[in-house]
C-alpha cells in the first residue's frame, strides 16, 4: 500500500522496482535502522493489546515490560536497545492514555490483517495490510496504523499518502481477510515520534467510494501505453533521496527540467 504514495511522488521508482525488477542492495551488515525500529514498535504494541482483556486497562508497566523483552530478543546492539527503550518510555503515557480512549469506542478484532482489492478491467490487484482493526458496538470498523515518526498530515493524506483512505475503501468492500464489509467509522494514524500525536484520515472529505474511484483513475492512467513514469515527480522535499536516483541519472537534470518522453527498446 505504501507503493501508492511512491507512485504519486516518484513514479520512476515504481517502474524500476516492479517493471525492471531492480532492488537496492542490502547492507553488508544489518544495522538498527528505521525499518527495524518500526517492526519492533509494531511487535510491542501488538503483544500489548493481544495480551490485555478488552475490559482491562493497559498499563505503562506492562508496556515497558513487553518492550524490554522484545528489544532483548530482536535488537543485538546495546546502544540501540537503550535508545529505543528510552523512546518507548517517552511515548508510553501517550500509548496508555490513547488506548483507554480507543477501548471506550471499540474492541480490537484483528492485527496485521491483509486485504486485496481487484480492478478487473486492468487485471490489477491492490494489496494492503492494516496494523490493527477495531469493531464498534454498532458493527463499524476503526482502522489504525502505527507510525514511529510523524504521521502524515490531513493534506498529505488527501493528495499523496493514501494508505489509510484506501484501506478504508477495501474494508467497506469486504476486502480484508476474515472480515465482513462494513462502514468504516474512522481511520487513524497513531504517531509515536518525538511529539506523539494521533492523526485521523480525512474520511469525511474523501469518502471510501471516492478514494477508490480516484485510485482506479490513477492506475488506468499509469497503465496506458503513452504514460511515462517520471522520476521525482512530486517529492516531499527536493533534498529527499530516492533508491533509484542514480539509475534515473538525477543530477544531470533537476526538478526545473520538463520530462521528455522516450521510447524504450
Amino acid at each position: 500500500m505504501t507503493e501508492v504514495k511512491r507512485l504519486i511522488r516518484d513514479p520512476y521508482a515504481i517502474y524500476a522496482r516492479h517493471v525492471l525488477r531492480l532492488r537496492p542492495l542490502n547492507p553488508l551488515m544489518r544495522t538498527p535502522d528505521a525499518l527495524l525500529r518500526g517492526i519492533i514498535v509494531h511487535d510491542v504494541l501488538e503483544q500489548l493489546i493481544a495480551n490485555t482483556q478488552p475490559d482491562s486497562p493497559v498499563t505503562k508497566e506492562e508496556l515497558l515490560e513487553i518492550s524490554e523483552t522484545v528489544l532483548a530478543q530482536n535488537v543485538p546492539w546495546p546502544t540501540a536497545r537503550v535508545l529505543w527503550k528510552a523512546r518507548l518510555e517517552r511515548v508510553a503515557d501517550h500509548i496508555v492514555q490513547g488506548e483507554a480512549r480507543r477501548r471506550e469506542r471499540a474492541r480490537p478484532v484483528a492485527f496485521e490483517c491483509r486485504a486485496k482489492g481487484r480492478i478487473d478491467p486492468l487485471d490489477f490487484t491492490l494489496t494492503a495490510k492494516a496494523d490493527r482493526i477495531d469493531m464498534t458496538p454498532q458493527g463499524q470498523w476503526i482502522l489504525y496504523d502505527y507510525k514511529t515518526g510523524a504521521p502524515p498530515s490531513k493534506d498529505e493524506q488527501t493528495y499523496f499518502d493514501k494508505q489509510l483512505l484506501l484501506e478504508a475503501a477495501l474494508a467497506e468492500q469486504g476486502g480484508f481477510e476474515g472480515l465482513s464489509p462494513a462502514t468504516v467509522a474512522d481511520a487513524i494514524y497513531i504517531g509515536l515520534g518525538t511529539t506523539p500525536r494521533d492523526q485521523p484520515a480525512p474520511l469525511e472529505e474523501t469518502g471510501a467510494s471516492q478514494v477508490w474511484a480516484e485510485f482506479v483513475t490513477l492506475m488506468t492512467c499509469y497503465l496506458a501505453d503513452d504514460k511515462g513514469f517520471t522520476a521525482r515527480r512530486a517529492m516531499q522535499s527536493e533534498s529527499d533521496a530516492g533508491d533509484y536516483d542514480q539509475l534515473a541519472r538525477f543530477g544531470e537534470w533537476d526538478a526545473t527540467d520538463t520530462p521528455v518522453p522516450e521510447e524504450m527498446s
Side-chain angles (χ1 to χ4, degrees), residues 106-125:
R107 62 181 180 86
V109 296
F111 302 97
E112 301 289 323
C113 190
R114 297 184 180 276
K116 291 182 180 180
R118 282 285 297 171
I119 305 176
D120 288 326
L122 303 178
D123 191 23
F124 179 87
T125 300

Side-chain angles (χ1 to χ4, degrees), residues 136-153:
T136 70
Q138 296 76 31
Q140 297 177 318
W141 303 127
I142 300 178
L143 311 178
Y144 292 105
D145 187 81
Y146 303 125
K147 285 289 185 184
T148 53
S153 67

Side-chain angles (χ1 to χ4, degrees), residues 19 66 77 81 84 105 118 132 140 143 179 202 228 246:
V19 178
I66 292 173
W77 309 275
R81 279 202 305 271
W84 292 2
R105 294 188 64 190
R118 282 285 297 171
R132 169 179 169 181
Q140 297 177 318
L143 311 178
L179 300 181
Q246 183 179 16

Side-chain angles (χ1 to χ4, degrees), residues 24-95:
L25 293 175
N26 292 324
L28 295 178
M29 295 183 63
R30 190 183 184 194
T31 57
D33 56 13
L35 175 60
L36 178 59
R37 185 170 71 247
I39 293 171
I40 295 299
V41 170
H42 280 65
D43 195 6
V44 169
L45 294 178
E46 183 175 340
Q47 288 191 35
L48 177 70
I49 307 307
N51 293 349
T52 307
Q53 296 299 319
D55 55 351
S56 301
V58 169
T59 66
K60 183 176 181 179
E61 291 73 23
E62 186 175 11
L63 169 63
L64 296 179
E65 182 179 339
I66 292 173
S67 300
E68 193 159 349
T69 300
V70 172
L71 287 169
Q73 292 173 342
N74 297 279
V75 183
W77 309 275
T79 302
R81 279 202 305 271
V82 172
L83 291 174
W84 292 2
K85 181 181 178 182
R87 287 191 180 190
L88 284 164
E89 288 175 347
R90 285 198 298 269
V91 299
D93 288 333
H94 178 75
I95 294 172

Side-chain angles (χ1 to χ4, degrees), residues 14 23 26 51 71 83 91-92 110 124 158 188 198 216 237 251:
I14 296 297
R23 296 289 190 275
N26 292 324
N51 293 349
L71 287 169
L83 291 174
V91 299
F124 179 87
T158 299
I188 302 171
D198 295 349
V216 171
S237 170

